Amino acid sequence: MTTRIAIFASGSGSNFQALVDACRNELLDATPALLVCDKPGAFVVERATSLDIPYFTFAPKSYSSKQEFEKHILSELKSYEVEFIILAGYMRLIGPTLLDAYKGRIVNIHPSLLPAFPGLDAVGQALSYGVKLTGVTIHFVDEGMDTGPIIAQEAITVDPDETKESLEKKIHKTEHTFYPKTLQQIFANKGEAVIK
Ligand code: GRF
């Protein structure tokens, strides 16, 4: 049975697009039920419009707290019967309201081999450090910053003449196939994917 997902994103949304495409091409047995976006002007909202995916955008500053906007998100997720939350460039920590409601059913993608280079600008951090190998990590989400249990990783070589732009391009290319493929594996054994 298809899994109903909400994709959370804050920016360009190339991963959002790749996930929707994978669902439509039957590479991922999931229904993209809703986009949740905390930046109403983000390009990902335009993508959702052209792909005909419902979206919920909100301005965090117009709520008194994270708990308040997460309660609002939760009511949207319930009305769209969302089973899993898929983070794809959502630039906020998930709080207890959503973590408790979707325990073990929130997944994130991060552009480094965690636990190396968590947080912002992971690609820039890896380049500045001078690593020869970086990559992409898919993990369950907990209350920390990119700290939840690791599900899958794919390594990417950093070439001697690598620039931030070229490395970002390679990382995105990997993400766009690796994320749908890994989610498909998670959804295939739904119960076992849930962490306690
Ligand atoms: C991706 O590199 C993802 O790993 C990170 O944020 C970026 C989002 O890119 N969490 P996009 O908006 O999907 O193009």
Side-chain angles (χ1 to χ4, degrees), residues 49-128:
T49 307
S50 23
L51 291 163
D52 211 13
I53 305 287
Y55 58 82
F56 169 63
T57 61
F58 66 100
K61 281 192 179 143
S62 60
Y63 294 82
S64 57
S65 64
K66 182 186 289 249
Q67 188 187 22
E68 287 310 307
F69 69 68
E70 286 202 343
K71 274 195 207 159
H72 196 168
I73 295 174
L74 193 54
S75 73
E76 293 291 325
L77 298 179
K78 284 193 174 146
S79 71
Y80 283 91
E81 298 178 343
V82 168
E83 298 168 89
F84 265 78
I85 295 175
I86 309 303
L87 307 184
Y90 182 66
M91 305 303 282
R92 281 177 190 278
L93 284 178
I94 301 293
T97 305
L98 290 176
L99 281 172
D100 290 349
Y102 280 86
K103 196 169 172 18
R105 290 180 294 134
I106 310 179
V107 180
N108 183 40
I109 189 164
H110 183 77
S112 75
L113 294 177
L114 290 170
F117 313 125
L120 289 177
D121 192 23
V123 179
Q125 290 186 57
L127 267 184
S128 312

Side-chain angles (χ1 to χ4, degrees), residues 125-144:
Q125 290 186 57
L127 267 184
S128 312
Y129 199 93
V131 292
K132 302 298 172 208
L133 201 63
T134 184
V136 175
T137 302
I138 294 170
H139 64 95
F140 287 114
V141 172
D142 64 12
E143 62 288 342

Side-chain angles (χ1 to χ4, degrees), residues 150-169:
I150 291 172
I151 302 164
Q153 293 186 303
E154 199 156 301
I156 291 168
T157 305
V158 182
D159 293 323
D161 58 349
E162 203 79 73
T163 62
K164 194 169 164 194
E165 200 185 21
S166 66
L167 187 54
E168 262 166 5
K169 210 168 163 190

Side-chain angles (χ1 to χ4, degrees), residues 31 33 45 70 111 121 147 169 172 176 192:
T31 302
V45 180
E70 286 202 343
D121 192 23
T147 51
K169 210 168 163 190
H172 268 115
H176 296 164
E192 281 154 53

